[in-house]
């Protein structure tokens, strides 16, 4: 569903991605991890169609992203951006509804979809609240609800769990897994390696604008690799209850 | 908890909308009749209605009725309709510019679009350009307005680093200063006769309103408002910032270009024959947002009605406070709008926090 080949992206004379290639199949959740400045968000924006690459291609559903019309692109992918802001006093329900504004879906289903997404993100009690008065976590949940109502087959999440508490981190990724299980393609930038280990089918580890490793959690999250890439000694062990690795700093 | 509080806001707002629309409609008609009836020559409501009715019937009229007809039809009604057009143009333009800049302080007067458009018109007058006949003046205002809006947008684009609301206001100060100095230079070049026109211009006045000017300004006013209504949903999504609006399917670059042209068109319609009248685009959309919320589908028509209402009242005050003289309407609006602007800054409206 997502196919990135030899992608080179530069901004202001600095090359941020040096020939990156990845593929994400539909029905899977891919986690994008790596130290600060590795190029994770740049890769995500390139896939979202926000930046024009210097070389290489991004295909979404076999179509090159940079030739697609903006309205068509909105039918194909939704984006959870880092740091969301809202001007004027729109309330939470209005903001979530904006996810449907230019979706070619039957308008009479909007109301039900919005109600379901509000409940899913546990923000239905805030539906009348001015979105500018929300806490960081509530804002992130509102944004995720907006991503849900867009009902796009490709879902791109940039640090969706950064502002969330433990319960909502798990709930959000559980929901993202659900989207993948029902045929979606989910790509999420995550900082928490343990969340990545628990929920991702595939982990892409980046450093300095390139990909260091790409594979299932047990293959990528190894002590020598993580210690080297993050320049921080770690130990990796099996999760006592889940069938996945756990990374702890030494 | 009452049952009203459990209703979704859209429903609550929707149920309030017809009531509000009716109230605004009644106020609008009342003020319209009052503004036609009042002036140096006071008329009763029946005089006004009789004079308007006589216009559409061929029955013979007395001398008094003939005079009433002339006052009502040729002087006051044309002027009130002009007030409605100018107020509606400035208020909807303000609402659209606030959406475009993501800033509730974006007003055509404050950020300098009105100054730019006036400059275009002043240049037409002083340099005696008349290539397009009577349309030259509004056309000059429109071209200068587009140029100015574009320049302001390049300098104070939202979402760019450091492009917060104070930057927009700083750009506005600079643009107004530049516009003022060029206007000053043109004033220096002007003949005594032109000077009269220019003075009235810089303070704003509806005293030149005639049916001819109405027929010229009503066209861009209607076209501009219709386009803005068509883009209401896209304007809503701009509140999320350019990048997120794009993610949700809004072609922001195209929308931005279209909005710059249409807002300049509305400003040109407002200033061409009536000079610069400030703060309408600031006060009206802000109050409307407080009452019916920020959604542009309702904000734009209510702002248009509210702008017309406000300018009719301001013009009524301009004509009747110091008879038989006229206070420039720009002075009236400045005395209301200036303190309002300070109040918005004090309330923290500068960051888009206030409704």
């Amino acid at each position: 569903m997502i196919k990135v080949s030899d992608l080179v992206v530069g901004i202001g004379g600095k090359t941020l991605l040096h020939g990156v290639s990845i593929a994400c199949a539909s029905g899977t959740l891919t986690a994008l991890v790596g130290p600060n400045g590795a190029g994770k968000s740049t890769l995500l924006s390139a896939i979202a169609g926000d930046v024009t690459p210097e070389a290489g291609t991004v295909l979404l559903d076999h179509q090159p992203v940079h030739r697609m019309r903006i309205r068509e692109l909105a039918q194909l992918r939704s984006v959870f951006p880092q740091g969301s802001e809202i001007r004027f006093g729109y309330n939470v329900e209005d903001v979530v509804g904006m996810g449907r504004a230019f979706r070619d879906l039957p308008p009479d289903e909007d109301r039900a979809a919005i109600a379901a997404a509000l409940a899913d993100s546990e923000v239905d009690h805030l539906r009348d609240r001015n979105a500018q008065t929300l806490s960081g976590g509530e804002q992130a949940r509102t944004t995720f609800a907006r991503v849900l109502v867009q009902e796009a087959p490709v879902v791109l999440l940039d640090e969706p769990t950064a502002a969330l508490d433990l319960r909502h981190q798990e709930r959000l990724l559980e929901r993202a897994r659900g989207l993948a299980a029902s045929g979606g393609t989910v790509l999420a930038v995550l900082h928490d390696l343990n969340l990545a280990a628990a929920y991702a089918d595939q982990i892409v580890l980046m450093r300095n604008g390139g990909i260091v490793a790409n594979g299932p959690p047990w293959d990528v999250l190894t002590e020598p690799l993580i210690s080297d890439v993050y320049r921080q000694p770690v130990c990796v062990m099996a999760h006592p209850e889940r069938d996945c690795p756990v990374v702890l700093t030494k | 908890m009452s049952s009203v509080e459990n209703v979704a806001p859209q429903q609550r707002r929707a149920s309030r909308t017809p009531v509000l629309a009716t109230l605004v409609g009644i106020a609008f008609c009342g003020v319209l009749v009052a503004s036609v009836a009042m002036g140096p020559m006071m008329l009763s409501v029946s005089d006004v209605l009789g004079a308007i009715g006589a216009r559409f019937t061929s029955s013979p009229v007395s001398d008094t009725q003939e005079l009433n007809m002339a006052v009502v039809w040729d002087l006051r009604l044309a002027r009130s309709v002009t007030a409605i057009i100018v107020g509606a143009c400035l208020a909807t333009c303000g609402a659209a510019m606030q959406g475009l800049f993501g800033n509730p302080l974006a007003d055509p007067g404050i950020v300098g679009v009105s100054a730019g458009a006036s400059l275009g018109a002043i240049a037409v007058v002083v340099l005696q350009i008349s290539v397009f006949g009577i349309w030259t003046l509004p056309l000059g205002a429109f071209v200068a307005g587009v140029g100015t809006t574009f320049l302001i947008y390049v300098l104070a684009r939202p979402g760019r680093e450091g492009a917060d609301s104070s930057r927009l206001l700083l750009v506005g100060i600079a643009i107004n200063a530049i516009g003022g100095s060029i206007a000053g230079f043109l004033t220096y070049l002007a003949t005594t006769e032109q000077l009269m026109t220019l003075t009235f211009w810089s303070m704003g006045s509806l005293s030149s309103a005639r049916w001819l000017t109405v027929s010229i300004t009503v066209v861009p006013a209607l076209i501009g408002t219709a386009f803005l209504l068509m883009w209401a949903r896209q304007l809503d999504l701009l509140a999320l910032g350019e990048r997120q609006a794009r993610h949700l399917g809004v072609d922001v670059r195209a929308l931005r270009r279209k909005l710059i042209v249409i807002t300049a068109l509305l400003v040109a319609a407002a200033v061409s024959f009536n000079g610069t009248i400030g703060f309408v685009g600031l006060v009206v959309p802000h109050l409307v947002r407080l009452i019916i919320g920020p959604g542009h589908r309702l904000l734009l028509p209510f702002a248009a009605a509210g702008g017309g209402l406000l300018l009719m009242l301001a013009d009524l005050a301009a004509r009747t406070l110091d008879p038989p003289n006229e206070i420039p309407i720009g002075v009236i609006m400045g005395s209301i709008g200036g303190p309002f602007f300070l109040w918005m800054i004090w309330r923290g409206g500068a960051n888009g926090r206030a409704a």
Side-chain angles (χ1 to χ4, degrees):
Chain A
M1 198 63 176
I2 303 175
K3 193 165 179 352
V4 179
S5 322
D6 308 313
L7 188 69
V8 180
V9 172
I11 292 173
K14 191 173 184 300
T15 309
L16 301 177
L17 296 176
H18 314 264
V20 169
S21 303
I22 60 166
C24 310
S26 45
T28 64
L29 192 159
T30 305
L32 213 48
V33 302
N36 295 336
K40 309 179 293 289
S41 293
T42 308
L43 177 55
L44 198 92
S45 342
I47 295 171
D50 294 345
V51 289
T52 314
E54 288 173 3
T57 55
V58 177
L59 299 179
L60 284 187
D61 197 18
H62 310 291
Q63 306 168 69
V65 162
H66 303 100
R67 300 234 191 83
M68 285 178 76
R69 296 168 57 111
I70 287 163
R71 175 104 192 228
E72 287 170 40
L73 211 46
Q75 316 303 315
L76 200 53
R77 59 96 182 91
S78 54
V79 184
F80 181 108
Q82 230 182 87
S84 171
E85 55 155 355
I86 173 105
R87 307 267 173 175
F88 306 110
Y90 291 95
N91 62 41
V92 168
E93 192 172 7
D94 289 340
V95 173
V96 173
M98 288 180 187
R100 292 291 267 214
F102 295 100
R103 271 298 268 131
D104 302 335
L105 292 167
D108 49 325
E109 288 170 16
D110 286 359
R111 198 160 254 286
I114 292 165
L118 286 167
D120 240 336
S121 292
E122 296 193 329
V123 285
D124 42 355
H125 61 292
L126 302 170
R127 59 169 62 197
D128 292 353
R129 266 273 287 281
N130 178 344
Q132 290 175 321
T133 65
L134 300 177
S135 75
E138 289 166 343
Q139 217 168 66
R141 277 145 60 195
T142 303
T143 306
F144 186 65
R146 200 194 74 207
V147 167
L148 288 176
V149 297
Q150 207 175 334
E151 292 180 17
V154 174
V155 180
L156 306 170
L157 309 169
D158 197 352
E159 294 189 29
T161 55
L164 298 182
D165 59 32
L166 278 182
R167 169 185 169 81
H168 289 104
Q169 289 182 358
E170 300 286 333
R171 276 186 66 93
L172 186 144
L173 286 169
E174 198 76 63
R175 190 69 181 81
R177 266 228 71 89
L179 292 175
S182 56
T185 311
V186 184
L187 178 64
V189 173
L190 293 173
H191 261 301
D192 187 331
L193 294 176
N194 294 323
L195 285 174
Y199 288 99
D201 299 298
Q202 173 184 225
I203 295 182
V204 176
L205 178 62
M206 293 185 72
R207 173 170 62 184
N208 298 333
I211 289 173
V212 183
N214 181 355
W218 279 112
D219 295 357
V220 175
L221 301 180
T222 61
E223 280 180 18
L225 193 55
I226 296 299
S227 303
D228 174 38
V229 169
Y230 281 87
R231 293 184 298 144
Q232 161 69 42
V234 297
C235 48
V236 176
M237 52 188 72
H239 191 288
E241 297 192 359
R242 287 169 171 171
D243 178 27
C244 69
V246 179
V247 179
L248 297 170
T249 48
K250 267 184 193 160
Chain B
M1 192 189 274
S2 75
S3 62
V4 180
E5 285 171 39
N6 291 324
V7 185
Q10 266 101 356
Q11 289 170 332
R12 208 165 54 216
R13 281 179 194 162
S15 66
R16 241 165 53 176
T17 309
V19 180
L20 280 167
T22 314
L23 287 177
V24 170
I26 292 170
F28 199 86
C29 294
V31 172
L32 179 60
V33 171
S35 75
V36 174
M38 290 167 78
M41 189 180 126
M42 289 289 180
L43 299 171
S44 70
V45 173
S46 62
D47 287 341
V48 172
L49 298 179
I52 294 175
R55 175 90 196 181
F56 297 102
T57 55
S58 51
S59 57
V61 288
S62 67
D63 284 354
T64 343
Q65 274 179 311
E66 190 132 5
L67 180 64
N68 285 355
M69 264 175 71
V71 169
V72 166
W73 193 261
D74 294 323
L75 294 176
R76 295 200 189 149
L77 197 57
R79 187 162 175 161
S80 300
V81 172
T82 303
I84 295 169
I85 294 174
V86 171
C89 282
L90 290 173
T92 46
C93 175
M97 284 185 67
Q98 285 147 26
L100 172 66
F101 285 98
N103 188 332
L105 298 182
D107 165 82
I110 293 169
V111 303
V113 180
S114 292
S118 313
L119 199 60
I122 292 175
V124 168
V125 172
V126 175
L127 306 177
Q128 293 174 321
I129 307 167
S130 57
V131 198
F132 301 99
I134 188 132
W135 291 91
T136 318
L137 194 66
L139 216 60
F142 170 64
V143 171
V146 171
T148 318
T149 318
F150 185 75
L151 183 67
I152 295 163
Y153 196 87
V154 169
L155 292 170
R157 188 176 156 190
R160 239 181 53 174
E161 209 170 332
D164 52 11
S165 51
S166 53
R167 189 181 170 96
L168 177 65
L169 298 182
L170 292 175
V171 170
I173 292 171
I175 298 277
N176 276 312
I178 296 168
S181 69
I182 301 178
F185 179 66
L186 288 172
T187 313
Y188 168 75
L189 291 182
T191 62
T192 320
E193 195 186 327
Q194 289 170 340
L195 215 52
M196 293 283 288
T197 330
L198 296 191
T199 314
F200 122 87
W201 249 80
S202 58
M203 289 196 276
S205 168
L206 303 183
S207 59
S208 68
R210 297 291 178 272
W211 286 113
L212 178 65
T213 58
V214 166
S215 65
I216 291 173
T217 46
V218 76
V219 178
L222 288 177
I223 294 175
T225 316
F227 271 114
L228 290 183
L229 274 174
M230 215 167 73
W231 301 329
R233 200 68 184 125
Q234 301 187 48
L235 276 166
D236 284 344
L237 269 70
L238 272 190
L240 296 170
E242 294 198 354
R243 183 160 170 245
Q244 293 192 59
R246 231 180 89 94
H247 290 157
L248 298 176
V250 179
D251 188 342
V252 177
R253 286 174 62 176
L255 178 64
R256 189 195 304 151
R257 266 186 245 125
K258 294 187 286 190
L259 281 174
I260 287 175
V261 172
I262 291 299
T263 49
L265 185 72
L266 288 168
V267 172
V271 306
S272 297
F273 298 105
N274 311 292
T276 48
I277 301 168
F279 297 111
V280 182
L282 179 82
V283 175
V284 176
H286 187 74
L287 292 178
V288 175
R289 265 190 219 104
L290 286 178
I291 298 166
I292 59 160
H296 287 83
R297 217 167 261 166
L298 289 178
L299 172 63
L300 289 167
F302 272 93
L309 195 60
L310 179 64
L311 259 211
M312 276 197 287
L313 284 170
D315 185 52
L316 190 59
R319 286 187 289 127
T320 52
L321 282 182
D322 182 26
N325 301 319
E326 251 189 48
I327 305 167
I329 193 171
V331 173
I332 306 256
M333 275 315 299
S335 65
I336 305 170
F340 188 89
F341 186 34
L342 286 178
W343 173 74
M344 275 183 74
I345 294 172
W346 181 65
R347 273 201 48 188
N351 295 319
R353 296 276 178 272

